[in-house]
Amino acid sequence: MKLLAYLLYIPLQIVWLPLSLLGVILVGLGQVGVSRRLGVSWTAVEVLNARWTMDVFGLRRDKAARRLAGHIPNDSTFGLWLFCLPLWLTRWVCRTPFLYPVVSPPERTGVAGMVVMRTLAIDDAIAHSLEGAEQFVFLGAGLDTRAYGPLLNRDLAIYELDRPADLALKREGLKAAGIDVARVRYVEVDFADPNWLDALRAAGYDQTRKTIFLWEGVTLYLTTRQVRDTLEAIRAHMAPTSVVIADFYATRTLEWGSKATAGYMEKSGEGLRFGIDFSADPEARLQSFLRESKLRLAGCTLLGGADKRGPLLAIAELTP
Ligand SMILES: C[S@@+](CC[C@H](N)C(=O)[O-])C[C@H]1O[C@@H](n2cnc3c(N)ncnc32)[C@H](O)[C@@H]1O
């Protein structure tokens, strides 16, 4: 079936190439150009697009991601379709996962599949922790749509935290997409401000209740001090049963990201700052970093760990 998929995909992609390139341009103009004009995160769109693709290809259901992508000014679902069509048709005809998006063993994950596998691993980590949870806090929520999908049926108080412009853009997009936002409380924060947790408490967060904190795809944009301070602040205001799910990136992943975007990340205000050298004994290195914040590493998934340079990232489940 794989051979058939290649035999179909290669000529199809060659013929379609100009339209695929047009798709890349349309998506890029929105993601980078419009995000810059509006002063919002462009990396948040990158993650949304990965989840849009996973839904369209039947890898992970996320109707809200699909709808939201069509209603924010810094994305183009038309462009995404133009780019993806040869892959989608190949998958549809051959009925087999092919090239992208695909599920790979965690240790074999490469940079192309990093966001896909991270999303799936974090879905699993959330599912493990949901029992008894009463609150869910998205730290740097970006365009994550979990709050408008599977979590809706849970009796949870949901908080989405991000910077003001990013929250405003998301709320407008959700409204335009007709997605019910009644259950979610939006809290403006900046993790550079050591008092960011005051805003969460003012919004109703109760530190005596079991809470899931999700910090996905954010630590890499902060300084080491900001990551430590944020974790310490959470540690000081969390119930003993609460859990923080967070991802931490290898320094080699940051170096790759800077090179792949030719330094654009720094210029766009989303420079890559905090990474950990995971080249040897990654779990021990992560534990040593976490010691200061007094959080315990209760679970750890390493993506890309089969590479001799060490994993690309670690997804950690942290408890007090
Ligand atoms: C790559 S996106 C990830 C979004 C989301 N967690 C997800 O997985 O879809 C990074 C997010 O972190 C937010 N962020 C970055 N630095 C921040 C800061 N200092 N304070 C608050 N949010 C921040 C950005 O606005 C953006 O929404």
Side-chain angles (χ1 to χ4, degrees):
M1 209 43 131
K2 273 266 148 60
L3 179 65
L4 179 66
Y6 275 106
L7 289 176
L8 179 66
Y9 173 69
I10 292 171
L12 200 60
Q13 183 61 81
I14 291 171
V15 173
W16 194 258
L17 195 60
L19 290 168
S20 283
L21 290 176
L22 177 64
V24 171
I25 291 168
L26 289 175
V27 174
L29 282 177
Q31 191 179 342
V32 176
V34 181
S35 300
R36 188 180 193 165
R37 181 162 53 75
L38 300 176
V40 295
S41 166
W42 66 272
T43 60
V45 182
E46 186 72 21
V47 184
L48 176 66
N49 287 346
R51 296 186 188 139
W52 178 95
T53 313
M54 289 166 87
D55 183 75
V56 164
F57 282 67
L59 203 70
R60 171 183 181 268
R61 283 293 160 218
D62 194 339
K63 267 195 196 144
R66 199 145 155 193
R67 283 163 66 190
L68 180 61
H71 289 88
I72 49 169
N74 50 346
D75 206 354
S76 166
T77 48
F78 178 63
L80 285 170
W81 267 118
L82 281 182
F83 176 69
C84 288
L85 201 66
L87 276 172
W88 185 84
L89 281 175
T90 306
R91 189 178 185 118
W92 188 75
V93 171
C94 299
R95 306 265 160 212
T96 182
F98 179 67
L99 290 182
Y100 182 87
V102 289
V103 177
S104 54
E107 68 281 7
R108 300 251 157 241
T109 301
V111 285
M114 193 165 67
V115 177
V116 167
M117 289 307 297
R118 175 182 100 185
T119 299
L120 295 174
I122 287 180
D123 284 348
D124 282 350
I126 293 171
H128 289 152
S129 307
L130 269 174
E131 183 70 39
E134 294 181 75
Q135 302 177 109
F136 200 114
V137 179
F138 289 87
L139 303 158
L143 301 167
D144 191 330
T145 41
R146 287 186 179 94
Y148 314 94
L151 295 183
L152 263 187
N153 303 325
R154 296 263 171 178
D155 191 15
L156 284 169
I158 300 178
Y159 302 87
E160 290 201 352
L161 279 54
D162 211 306
R163 292 179 287 205
D166 293 275
L167 284 181
L169 175 110
K170 182 176 192 176
R171 295 179 77 172
E172 278 163 30
L174 290 166
K175 194 173 160 203
I179 294 171
D180 182 9
V181 298
R183 290 272 313 282
V184 181
R185 291 172 224 185
Y186 300 93
V187 186
E188 297 179 357
V189 298
D190 189 330
F191 299 119
D193 173 1
N195 300 317
W196 65 269
L197 215 136
D198 292 348
L200 178 60
R201 284 154 73 189
Y205 166 72
D206 180 346
Q207 67 181 63
T208 64
R209 292 171 188 251
K210 176 175 175 181
T211 304
I212 300 175
F213 291 88
L214 174 58
W215 210 15
E216 179 179 8
V218 186
T219 57
L220 68 172
Y221 304 108
L222 305 179
T223 63
T224 307
R225 190 72 264 158
Q226 287 164 357
V227 176
R228 279 198 206 283
D229 288 351
T230 305
L231 289 174
E232 275 176 40
I234 297 170
R235 168 70 185 82
H237 298 94
M238 73 196 284
T241 48
S242 294
V243 59
V244 181
I245 301 168
D247 50 9
F248 299 94
Y249 291 76
T251 41
R252 81 167 173 104
T253 311
L254 271 54
E255 282 159 18
W256 170 84
S258 293
K259 263 195 213 140
T261 57
Y264 179 74
M265 302 204 72
E266 200 57 53
K267 280 186 221 133
S268 70
E270 291 189 269
L272 298 171
R273 297 194 176 85
F274 174 67
I276 300 176
D277 178 2
F278 283 153
S279 58
D281 212 346
E283 272 195 50
R285 297 243 168 116
L286 181 56
Q287 252 156 353
S288 138
F289 171 76
L290 293 167
R291 209 155 287 141
E292 203 177 301
S293 58
K294 299 191 186 68
L295 284 162
R296 196 176 66 82
L297 188 59
C300 183
T301 306
L302 300 173
L303 295 187
D307 192 301
K308 62 179 187 317
R309 294 165 296 173
L312 292 162
L313 70 137
I315 295 161
E317 290 168 56
L318 309 172
T319 52

